[in-house]
Amino acid sequence: SQKIEQNSEALNIQEGKTATLTCNYTNYSPAYLQWYRQDPGRGPVFLLLIRENEKEKRKERLKVTFDTTLKQSLFHITASQPADSATYLCALSRASGGSYIPTFGRGTSLIVHP
Amino acid sequence: DSGVTQTPKHLITATGQRVTLRCSPRSGDLSVYWYQQSLDQGLQFLIQYYNGEERAKGNILERFSAQQFPDLHSELNLSSLELGDSALYFCASSVLGQGGFGGELFFGEGSRLTVL
């Protein structure tokens, strides 16, 4: 069956360091992969999207890589700040009946310590 | 502010009851998605509507139903409620692009349902 795996353990890092979050998937061939940020009790907020034929995408302090051979995406936040503390969700989309429905991983909590 | 409005924000009800959750998508977005988020299941896709028509169905129970109206707002109806239906229910909208891919989803703040 299809599986999207994100580290369930919280990632604790010091301010200023680079945070790296992992999203692995099995039995899946996504056309698109997205990363979202979710704060407690709030709706997810879109951060970055990468297509299956792209290797890397950047936006300000954020970088996403997508390796369809390893079936893995890495999400990096450089120069991390305490305000970056949140849960980060990856979402994979593939065609299904003419629609692309994002399927979400369970997220990894990031805690940035001052 | 994502531009997606969900009401009510909180709802407490008893088992066996029926509730309706409402969602107004971002202006111009034709596609609406409903997701359920519980502690043990994460974000689970329920159903998608595009311009008034059902487009895709996920893990939606038969006790649940949804619709999208001509003004593009959507309602999710949950009936014969059980304790296990307690969760956060999110609505999201998107611009449905070429090939059916809507790009990024814009989520509302959710409706927190508690079934006692």
Side-chain angles (χ1 to χ4, degrees):
Chain A
S1 63
Q2 298 160 6
K3 239 181 181 181
I4 302 170
E5 293 180 339
Q6 295 186 256
N7 199 336
S8 58
E9 281 186 27
L11 177 63
N12 286 272
I13 64 167
Q14 286 298 125
E15 183 175 9
K17 300 292 186 187
T18 296
T20 298
L21 304 172
T22 304
C23 176
N24 295 302
Y25 57 93
T26 56
N27 297 324
Y28 215 101
S29 296
Y32 307 90
L33 189 147
Q34 302 176 58
W35 283 87
Y36 288 78
R37 168 188 173 136
Q38 186 174 26
D39 291 286
R42 308 292 299 274
V45 176
F46 171 79
L47 297 174
L48 277 170
L49 177 151
I50 188 165
R51 292 173 169 75
E52 61 180 334
N53 59 351
E54 296 175 320
K55 298 290 185 192
E56 184 179 298
K57 242 347 182 0
R58 289 175 188 258
K59 180 183 173 184
E60 297 171 356
R61 295 186 295 113
L62 309 180
K63 185 178 88 170
V64 173
T65 63
F66 193 8
D67 189 326
T68 55
T69 302
L70 287 180
K71 295 188 182 297
Q72 179 181 80
S73 174
L74 298 178
F75 177 77
H76 307 271
I77 305 175
T78 57
S80 58
Q81 304 163 2
D84 294 327
S85 299
T87 296
Y88 291 85
L89 307 168
C90 73
L92 279 61
S93 300
R94 63 182 175 89
S96 176
S99 204
Y100 289 82
I101 304 300
T103 301
F104 285 82
R106 297 189 62 180
T108 298
S109 175
L110 171 66
I111 302 168
V112 181
H113 299 275
Chain B
D1 182 6
S2 67
V4 177
T5 304
Q6 288 189 249
T7 56
K9 288 191 178 358
H10 301 275
L11 195 52
I12 301 174
T13 188
T15 55
Q17 295 298 304
R18 173 190 168 94
V19 298
T20 297
L21 311 179
R22 183 188 167 103
C23 169
S24 294
R26 271 188 345 152
S27 177
D29 283 357
L30 299 177
S31 199
V32 167
Y33 308 72
W34 285 97
Y35 283 84
Q36 178 193 57
Q37 187 174 41
S38 57
L39 281 174
D40 58 339
Q41 290 291 329
L43 259 175
Q44 296 288 311
F45 169 67
L46 296 178
I47 198 163
Q48 179 207 7
Y49 279 83
Y50 174 70
N51 204 19
E53 294 196 3
E54 183 183 304
R55 192 72 179 256
K57 223 166 181 175
N59 303 321
I60 188 166
L61 300 171
E62 281 191 17
R63 300 182 286 109
F64 296 0
S65 65
Q67 54 184 324
Q68 187 179 28
F69 295 87
D71 66 352
L72 300 179
H73 91 271
S74 177
E75 292 181 357
L76 178 67
N77 300 296
L78 315 175
S79 61
S80 302
L81 286 168
E82 302 175 358
L83 296 177
D85 297 328
S86 295
L88 258 174
Y89 291 84
F90 286 107
C91 167
S93 72
S94 74
V95 174
L96 204 63
Q98 185 181 14
F101 178 61
E104 62 185 280
L105 296 187
F106 295 88
F107 281 83
E109 293 297 339
S111 293
R112 181 174 293 280
L113 173 66
T114 303
V115 182
L116 301 175

